[in-house]
Structures are given as structure tokens and as C-alpha cells.
Short mmCIF file of all heavy atoms in Angstrom, two decimals:
data_model
loop_
_atom_site.label_atom_id
_atom_site.label_comp_id
_atom_site.label_asym_id
_atom_site.label_seq_id
_atom_site.Cartn_x
_atom_site.Cartn_y
_atom_site.Cartn_z
N ALA A 1 -5.64 82.19 23.33
CA ALA A 1 -6.45 83.39 23.60
C ALA A 1 -7.61 83.03 24.53
O ALA A 1 -8.35 82.07 24.27
CB ALA A 1 -6.97 83.98 22.30
N GLU A 2 -7.77 83.80 25.60
CA GLU A 2 -8.83 83.54 26.57
C GLU A 2 -10.09 84.37 26.31
O GLU A 2 -11.20 83.93 26.62
CB GLU A 2 -8.32 83.83 27.98
CG GLU A 2 -7.20 82.93 28.43
CD GLU A 2 -6.72 83.25 29.82
OE1 GLU A 2 -6.70 84.46 30.19
OE2 GLU A 2 -6.37 82.31 30.56
N GLU A 3 -9.91 85.55 25.79
CA GLU A 3 -11.03 86.45 25.49
C GLU A 3 -10.73 87.26 24.25
O GLU A 3 -9.57 87.58 23.97
CB GLU A 3 -11.29 87.44 26.64
CG GLU A 3 -11.93 86.87 27.87
CD GLU A 3 -12.24 87.96 28.88
OE1 GLU A 3 -11.96 89.14 28.61
OE2 GLU A 3 -12.74 87.61 29.97
N ARG A 4 -11.79 87.58 23.53
CA ARG A 4 -11.69 88.50 22.40
C ARG A 4 -12.79 89.54 22.55
O ARG A 4 -13.89 89.22 23.01
CB ARG A 4 -11.85 87.75 21.07
CG ARG A 4 -10.74 86.74 20.81
CD ARG A 4 -11.11 85.82 19.66
NE ARG A 4 -10.01 84.94 19.29
CZ ARG A 4 -9.74 83.78 19.86
NH1 ARG A 4 -10.49 83.36 20.87
NH2 ARG A 4 -8.73 83.04 19.45
N SER A 5 -12.49 90.76 22.16
CA SER A 5 -13.48 91.84 22.26
C SER A 5 -13.62 92.54 20.92
O SER A 5 -12.63 92.75 20.20
CB SER A 5 -13.07 92.86 23.32
OG SER A 5 -13.04 92.28 24.61
N TYR A 6 -14.86 92.90 20.60
CA TYR A 6 -15.17 93.64 19.38
C TYR A 6 -16.00 94.87 19.73
O TYR A 6 -16.67 94.91 20.77
CB TYR A 6 -15.99 92.78 18.41
CG TYR A 6 -15.23 91.72 17.67
CD1 TYR A 6 -15.05 90.45 18.23
CD2 TYR A 6 -14.71 91.96 16.40
CE1 TYR A 6 -14.36 89.45 17.54
CE2 TYR A 6 -14.03 90.97 15.71
CZ TYR A 6 -13.86 89.73 16.28
OH TYR A 6 -13.18 88.74 15.59
N GLU A 7 -15.95 95.84 18.84
CA GLU A 7 -16.90 96.95 18.93
C GLU A 7 -17.46 97.21 17.54
O GLU A 7 -16.80 96.94 16.52
CB GLU A 7 -16.26 98.20 19.51
CG GLU A 7 -15.19 98.86 18.68
CD GLU A 7 -14.58 100.07 19.38
OE1 GLU A 7 -14.67 100.17 20.61
OE2 GLU A 7 -14.00 100.92 18.67
N TYR A 8 -18.70 97.71 17.54
CA TYR A 8 -19.35 98.06 16.27
C TYR A 8 -19.83 99.50 16.36
O TYR A 8 -20.47 99.89 17.34
CB TYR A 8 -20.52 97.13 15.97
CG TYR A 8 -20.96 97.23 14.52
CD1 TYR A 8 -20.37 96.44 13.55
CD2 TYR A 8 -21.92 98.17 14.13
CE1 TYR A 8 -20.73 96.57 12.20
CE2 TYR A 8 -22.28 98.30 12.79
CZ TYR A 8 -21.68 97.51 11.83
OH TYR A 8 -22.02 97.64 10.52
N LEU A 9 -19.52 100.30 15.33
CA LEU A 9 -19.82 101.72 15.33
C LEU A 9 -20.99 102.02 14.40
O LEU A 9 -21.01 101.56 13.25
CB LEU A 9 -18.61 102.55 14.90
CG LEU A 9 -17.29 102.32 15.66
CD1 LEU A 9 -16.24 103.32 15.18
CD2 LEU A 9 -17.49 102.42 17.15
N ILE A 10 -21.92 102.82 14.90
CA ILE A 10 -23.07 103.25 14.11
C ILE A 10 -23.16 104.77 14.16
O ILE A 10 -23.12 105.38 15.24
CB ILE A 10 -24.37 102.63 14.65
CG1 ILE A 10 -24.36 101.12 14.38
CG2 ILE A 10 -25.60 103.29 14.01
CD1 ILE A 10 -25.55 100.40 14.95
N SER A 11 -23.26 105.38 12.99
CA SER A 11 -23.44 106.82 12.90
C SER A 11 -24.93 107.12 12.71
O SER A 11 -25.56 106.57 11.80
CB SER A 11 -22.65 107.40 11.73
OG SER A 11 -22.91 108.78 11.59
N PRO A 12 -25.52 107.96 13.56
CA PRO A 12 -26.95 108.26 13.45
C PRO A 12 -27.26 109.30 12.37
O PRO A 12 -28.42 109.68 12.19
CB PRO A 12 -27.30 108.79 14.84
CG PRO A 12 -26.03 109.42 15.33
CD PRO A 12 -24.91 108.59 14.75
N ARG A 13 -26.25 109.76 11.69
CA ARG A 13 -26.46 110.74 10.61
C ARG A 13 -25.43 110.47 9.51
O ARG A 13 -24.39 109.83 9.75
CB ARG A 13 -26.28 112.16 11.14
CG ARG A 13 -24.88 112.46 11.63
CD ARG A 13 -24.76 113.83 12.27
NE ARG A 13 -23.41 114.10 12.70
CZ ARG A 13 -22.86 113.64 13.80
NH1 ARG A 13 -23.56 112.86 14.61
NH2 ARG A 13 -21.61 113.94 14.13
N LYS A 14 -25.74 110.96 8.32
CA LYS A 14 -24.77 110.81 7.23
C LYS A 14 -23.56 111.67 7.52
O LYS A 14 -23.67 112.87 7.74
CB LYS A 14 -25.40 111.24 5.90
CG LYS A 14 -24.48 111.04 4.72
CD LYS A 14 -25.13 111.45 3.41
CE LYS A 14 -24.18 111.24 2.24
NZ LYS A 14 -24.76 111.65 0.95
N ASP A 15 -22.40 111.01 7.59
CA ASP A 15 -21.17 111.70 7.97
C ASP A 15 -20.05 111.22 7.06
O ASP A 15 -19.67 110.04 7.12
CB ASP A 15 -20.85 111.41 9.44
CG ASP A 15 -19.69 112.24 9.97
OD1 ASP A 15 -18.80 112.59 9.17
OD2 ASP A 15 -19.67 112.52 11.17
N PRO A 16 -19.49 112.09 6.22
CA PRO A 16 -18.44 111.65 5.30
C PRO A 16 -17.20 111.11 5.99
O PRO A 16 -16.45 110.32 5.41
CB PRO A 16 -18.12 112.91 4.49
CG PRO A 16 -18.61 114.05 5.31
CD PRO A 16 -19.80 113.52 6.05
N PHE A 17 -16.99 111.52 7.25
CA PHE A 17 -15.81 111.05 7.97
C PHE A 17 -15.98 109.65 8.54
O PHE A 17 -15.03 109.04 9.02
CB PHE A 17 -15.45 112.04 9.07
CG PHE A 17 -15.08 113.40 8.54
CD1 PHE A 17 -15.98 114.46 8.64
CD2 PHE A 17 -13.87 113.62 7.92
CE1 PHE A 17 -15.66 115.71 8.13
CE2 PHE A 17 -13.54 114.87 7.40
CZ PHE A 17 -14.45 115.91 7.51
N TYR A 18 -17.20 109.13 8.49
CA TYR A 18 -17.46 107.76 8.95
C TYR A 18 -17.88 106.84 7.80
O TYR A 18 -18.29 105.71 8.05
CB TYR A 18 -18.56 107.76 10.02
CG TYR A 18 -18.10 108.20 11.39
CD1 TYR A 18 -18.64 109.32 12.00
CD2 TYR A 18 -17.13 107.48 12.08
CE1 TYR A 18 -18.22 109.73 13.26
CE2 TYR A 18 -16.70 107.87 13.34
CZ TYR A 18 -17.26 109.00 13.92
OH TYR A 18 -16.85 109.38 15.17
N LYS A 19 -17.76 107.31 6.57
CA LYS A 19 -18.30 106.51 5.45
C LYS A 19 -17.61 105.16 5.32
O LYS A 19 -18.24 104.20 4.84
CB LYS A 19 -18.19 107.30 4.15
CG LYS A 19 -16.77 107.50 3.62
CD LYS A 19 -16.80 108.31 2.32
CE LYS A 19 -15.40 108.46 1.75
NZ LYS A 19 -14.85 107.19 1.25
N ASP A 20 -16.36 105.03 5.74
CA ASP A 20 -15.64 103.76 5.64
C ASP A 20 -15.41 103.10 7.00
O ASP A 20 -14.73 102.08 7.08
CB ASP A 20 -14.28 103.96 4.96
CG ASP A 20 -14.43 104.38 3.51
OD1 ASP A 20 -15.36 103.90 2.84
OD2 ASP A 20 -13.60 105.19 3.05
N SER A 21 -15.94 103.70 8.07
CA SER A 21 -15.59 103.20 9.39
C SER A 21 -16.78 103.02 10.34
O SER A 21 -16.59 102.63 11.48
CB SER A 21 -14.58 104.15 10.06
OG SER A 21 -15.09 105.47 10.12
N ALA A 22 -17.99 103.32 9.87
CA ALA A 22 -19.18 103.15 10.70
C ALA A 22 -20.38 102.91 9.80
O ALA A 22 -20.39 103.30 8.62
CB ALA A 22 -19.41 104.36 11.59
N HIS A 23 -21.40 102.30 10.35
CA HIS A 23 -22.64 102.00 9.62
C HIS A 23 -23.65 103.11 9.90
O HIS A 23 -23.94 103.43 11.06
CB HIS A 23 -23.18 100.66 10.08
CG HIS A 23 -24.44 100.22 9.40
ND1 HIS A 23 -24.74 100.54 8.09
CD2 HIS A 23 -25.49 99.48 9.86
CE1 HIS A 23 -25.91 100.01 7.77
NE2 HIS A 23 -26.38 99.37 8.83
N TYR A 24 -24.17 103.70 8.84
CA TYR A 24 -25.14 104.80 8.98
C TYR A 24 -26.56 104.23 9.15
O TYR A 24 -27.04 103.49 8.29
CB TYR A 24 -25.06 105.69 7.75
CG TYR A 24 -26.19 106.68 7.57
CD1 TYR A 24 -26.67 107.44 8.64
CD2 TYR A 24 -26.77 106.86 6.32
CE1 TYR A 24 -27.71 108.35 8.46
CE2 TYR A 24 -27.80 107.77 6.12
CZ TYR A 24 -28.27 108.50 7.20
OH TYR A 24 -29.30 109.39 7.02
N ILE A 25 -27.21 104.58 10.26
CA ILE A 25 -28.60 104.20 10.53
C ILE A 25 -29.38 105.47 10.81
O ILE A 25 -29.12 106.18 11.79
CB ILE A 25 -28.71 103.27 11.76
CG1 ILE A 25 -28.01 101.93 11.50
CG2 ILE A 25 -30.18 103.03 12.12
CD1 ILE A 25 -28.75 101.00 10.58
N ARG A 26 -30.36 105.78 9.96
CA ARG A 26 -31.08 107.04 10.12
C ARG A 26 -32.27 106.94 11.08
O ARG A 26 -32.79 107.96 11.52
CB ARG A 26 -31.58 107.53 8.76
CG ARG A 26 -32.62 106.67 8.09
CD ARG A 26 -32.96 107.21 6.71
NE ARG A 26 -33.96 106.42 6.01
CZ ARG A 26 -35.27 106.63 6.11
NH1 ARG A 26 -35.73 107.59 6.89
NH2 ARG A 26 -36.13 105.87 5.44
N PHE A 27 -32.68 105.72 11.43
CA PHE A 27 -33.83 105.55 12.31
C PHE A 27 -33.44 105.74 13.78
O PHE A 27 -32.33 105.35 14.17
CB PHE A 27 -34.45 104.16 12.12
CG PHE A 27 -34.87 103.88 10.71
CD1 PHE A 27 -34.14 103.00 9.92
CD2 PHE A 27 -35.99 104.49 10.17
CE1 PHE A 27 -34.52 102.74 8.62
CE2 PHE A 27 -36.38 104.24 8.86
CZ PHE A 27 -35.63 103.37 8.08
N PRO A 28 -34.31 106.29 14.61
CA PRO A 28 -34.01 106.40 16.05
C PRO A 28 -33.85 105.00 16.66
O PRO A 28 -34.55 104.06 16.26
CB PRO A 28 -35.26 107.10 16.61
CG PRO A 28 -35.91 107.76 15.45
CD PRO A 28 -35.61 106.91 14.26
N LEU A 29 -32.93 104.88 17.59
CA LEU A 29 -32.66 103.59 18.24
C LEU A 29 -32.96 103.67 19.73
O LEU A 29 -32.53 104.62 20.40
CB LEU A 29 -31.19 103.19 18.02
CG LEU A 29 -30.74 102.96 16.58
CD1 LEU A 29 -29.23 102.72 16.52
CD2 LEU A 29 -31.49 101.79 15.95
N ASP A 30 -33.66 102.67 20.24
CA ASP A 30 -33.97 102.59 21.66
C ASP A 30 -32.88 101.76 22.34
O ASP A 30 -32.95 100.53 22.37
CB ASP A 30 -35.34 101.94 21.85
CG ASP A 30 -35.82 101.96 23.31
OD1 ASP A 30 -34.96 102.03 24.20
OD2 ASP A 30 -37.05 101.89 23.53
N LEU A 31 -31.87 102.45 22.86
CA LEU A 31 -30.74 101.75 23.46
C LEU A 31 -31.11 100.99 24.71
O LEU A 31 -30.48 99.97 25.03
CB LEU A 31 -29.59 102.73 23.74
CG LEU A 31 -28.49 102.77 22.67
CD1 LEU A 31 -29.05 103.21 21.34
CD2 LEU A 31 -27.35 103.69 23.10
N ASP A 32 -32.11 101.44 25.44
CA ASP A 32 -32.54 100.71 26.64
C ASP A 32 -33.05 99.32 26.25
O ASP A 32 -32.69 98.32 26.88
CB ASP A 32 -33.63 101.48 27.38
CG ASP A 32 -33.10 102.73 28.07
OD1 ASP A 32 -31.88 102.77 28.35
OD2 ASP A 32 -33.89 103.66 28.32
N GLN A 33 -33.88 99.26 25.22
CA GLN A 33 -34.38 97.96 24.76
C GLN A 33 -33.25 97.12 24.17
O GLN A 33 -33.20 95.89 24.37
CB GLN A 33 -35.48 98.17 23.72
CG GLN A 33 -36.80 98.63 24.29
CD GLN A 33 -37.40 97.59 25.24
OE1 GLN A 33 -37.61 96.45 24.88
NE2 GLN A 33 -37.65 98.01 26.48
N MET A 34 -32.34 97.76 23.47
CA MET A 34 -31.22 97.03 22.87
C MET A 34 -30.31 96.45 23.95
O MET A 34 -29.80 95.33 23.82
CB MET A 34 -30.44 97.95 21.93
CG MET A 34 -31.25 98.34 20.68
SD MET A 34 -30.62 99.81 19.84
CE MET A 34 -29.13 99.16 19.08
N ASN A 35 -30.12 97.18 25.03
CA ASN A 35 -29.31 96.66 26.13
C ASN A 35 -30.03 95.55 26.89
O ASN A 35 -29.40 94.60 27.37
CB ASN A 35 -28.90 97.79 27.08
CG ASN A 35 -27.67 98.53 26.59
OD1 ASN A 35 -26.75 97.92 26.05
ND2 ASN A 35 -27.65 99.84 26.77
N SER A 36 -31.35 95.65 26.99
CA SER A 36 -32.12 94.56 27.62
C SER A 36 -31.97 93.29 26.80
O SER A 36 -31.81 92.19 27.35
CB SER A 36 -33.59 94.94 27.73
OG SER A 36 -33.77 96.02 28.63
N ALA A 37 -32.03 93.44 25.49
CA ALA A 37 -31.85 92.28 24.61
C ALA A 37 -30.42 91.75 24.68
O ALA A 37 -30.20 90.53 24.67
CB ALA A 37 -32.21 92.66 23.18
N ALA A 38 -29.45 92.65 24.75
CA ALA A 38 -28.04 92.24 24.80
C ALA A 38 -27.74 91.41 26.05
O ALA A 38 -26.92 90.49 26.01
CB ALA A 38 -27.14 93.47 24.75
N GLU A 39 -28.42 91.71 27.15
CA GLU A 39 -28.20 90.96 28.39
C GLU A 39 -28.59 89.49 28.26
O GLU A 39 -28.07 88.63 28.97
CB GLU A 39 -28.98 91.61 29.54
CG GLU A 39 -28.40 92.95 29.98
CD GLU A 39 -29.22 93.59 31.09
OE1 GLU A 39 -30.22 92.96 31.52
OE2 GLU A 39 -28.86 94.70 31.51
#
């Protein structure tokens, strides 16, 4: 294997359809800062 890829799902609200498939985070997220850190 040369590369592996993952994704992580976050639900910004309580959603019964994501209860087993995404992480619920109720706080606002600054994606610009998160992408700066990811770089």
C-alpha cells in the first residue's frame, strides 16, 4: 500500500441519524484556524 486515506465526520447538532456515524460537537468551530493547523 502506497497511500491510505481517512475521513472524520462531525455533526454540529444533535442528530439521531448520525448517532453511530459521526461525533457531535456543539461548540462553534473555526475551520480557517483548523486548516491552518492542519497544514
Side-chain angles (χ1 to χ4, degrees):
E2 296 180 324
E3 286 185 1
R4 296 167 174 84
S5 296
Y6 285 87
E7 67 182 22
Y8 195 88
L9 306 185
I10 291 176
S11 176
R13 64 186 182 280
K14 183 179 180 181
D15 188 330
F17 297 104
Y18 283 119
K19 70 180 182 69
D20 294 324
S21 57
H23 181 32
Y24 166 45
I25 295 286
R26 66 184 180 89
F27 303 107
L29 298 174
D30 187 335
L31 262 61
D32 289 337
Q33 286 297 304
M34 292 161 73
N35 277 322
S36 294
E39 289 178 1

